[in-house]
């Protein structure tokens, strides 16, 4: 790995996670984003080697990539559970609590994570933080109807909610919803904040993933890859 090469760091973490946790015959959750892409491609290699894997996609983008590379994608409603999901994250704290959703797939990612026996996160070291919210905004997916009122409720929690845009229009998630990126000075009580946000009318889901990850595979600038576990 070239030192300080972000792409190589993501690839190293993703491939290590797949090689360590994905076994023949499993049902595998496929994450969304630039780091998860490398995990998808490694899963595709295993399928070509003869692994019998069924996969659940966390976004339409991920499903398209998977199908193009020969991976069998199944409907989450047609399975009992997912053995392991390999996904990225925007922030990871020392207790493996996460912020996810900058890629716009947080609703499906959380549904998949909740159905997963082992959620494995792949990141580079820049995503490791002491406290959530220090580096990135918290994505919150909301209904389009009344979204301005929902944003007001989010602001009362101490953040500055900004409607996510794409091409001059509000970004629309796979679920047909809007996303507000909510910048907090710092999230000191993530469980309390998650409960408060979830009670705001119009909120579909927030990007706090708490007590969901079992392990995080972390790539470092010096070329090493380490692992964090609960």
């Amino acid at each position: 790995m070239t030192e300080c090469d972000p792409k190589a760091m993501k690839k190293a973490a993703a491939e290590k996670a797949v090689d360590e946790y994905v076994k023949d015959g499993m049902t595998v959750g496929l994450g969304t984003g630039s780091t998860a892409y490398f995990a998808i491609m490694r899963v595709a290699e295993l399928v070509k080697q003869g692994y019998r894997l069924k996969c659940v996609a966390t976004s339409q983008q991920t499903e398209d990539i998977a199908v193009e590379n020969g991976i069998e994608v199944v409907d989450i409603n047609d399975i009992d559970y997912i053995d392991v999901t390999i996904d990225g994250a925007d922030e990871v704290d020392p207790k493996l609590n996460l912020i996810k959703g900058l890629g716009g797939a947080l609703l499906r990612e959380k549904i998949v994570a909740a159905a997963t026996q082992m959620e494995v996160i792949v990141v580079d070291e820049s995503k490791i933080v002491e406290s959530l919210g220090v580096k990135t905004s918290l994505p919150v997916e909301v209904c389009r109807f009344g979204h301005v009122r929902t944003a007001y409720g989010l602001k009362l929690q101490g953040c500055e909610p900004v409607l996510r845009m794409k091409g001059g229009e509000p970004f629309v998630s796979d679920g047909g919803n809007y996303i507000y990126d909510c910048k907090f000075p710092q999230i000191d009580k993530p469980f309390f904040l998650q409960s408060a946000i979830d009670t705001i009318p119009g909120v579909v889901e927030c990007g706090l993933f708490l007590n969901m990850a079992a392990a995080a595979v972390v790539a470092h600038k010096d070329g090493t890859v380490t692992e964090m576990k609960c």
Side-chain angles (χ1 to χ4, degrees), residues 65-138:
I65 295 170
V67 171
E68 287 171 6
N69 287 277
I71 298 172
E72 179 186 359
V73 176
V74 298
D75 192 311
I76 193 171
N77 295 307
D78 296 333
I79 59 172
D80 295 326
Y81 60 88
I82 299 166
D83 293 290
V84 61
T85 291
I86 311 292
D87 204 352
D90 304 304
E91 287 187 355
V92 181
D93 79 5
K95 295 182 179 179
L96 294 186
N97 293 315
L98 319 170
I99 285 180
K100 289 174 53 57
L102 293 189
L106 65 125
L107 175 59
R108 283 179 59 166
E109 286 175 335
K110 189 169 278 192
I111 292 171
V112 169
T116 298
Q117 292 190 328
M118 177 166 281
E119 179 88 358
V120 179
I121 300 301
V122 288
V123 292
D124 65 71
E125 63 180 14
S126 69
K127 305 297 177 65
I128 306 301
V129 296
E130 286 301 315
S131 181
L132 295 178
V134 172
K135 291 185 176 182
T136 188
S137 298
L138 173 66

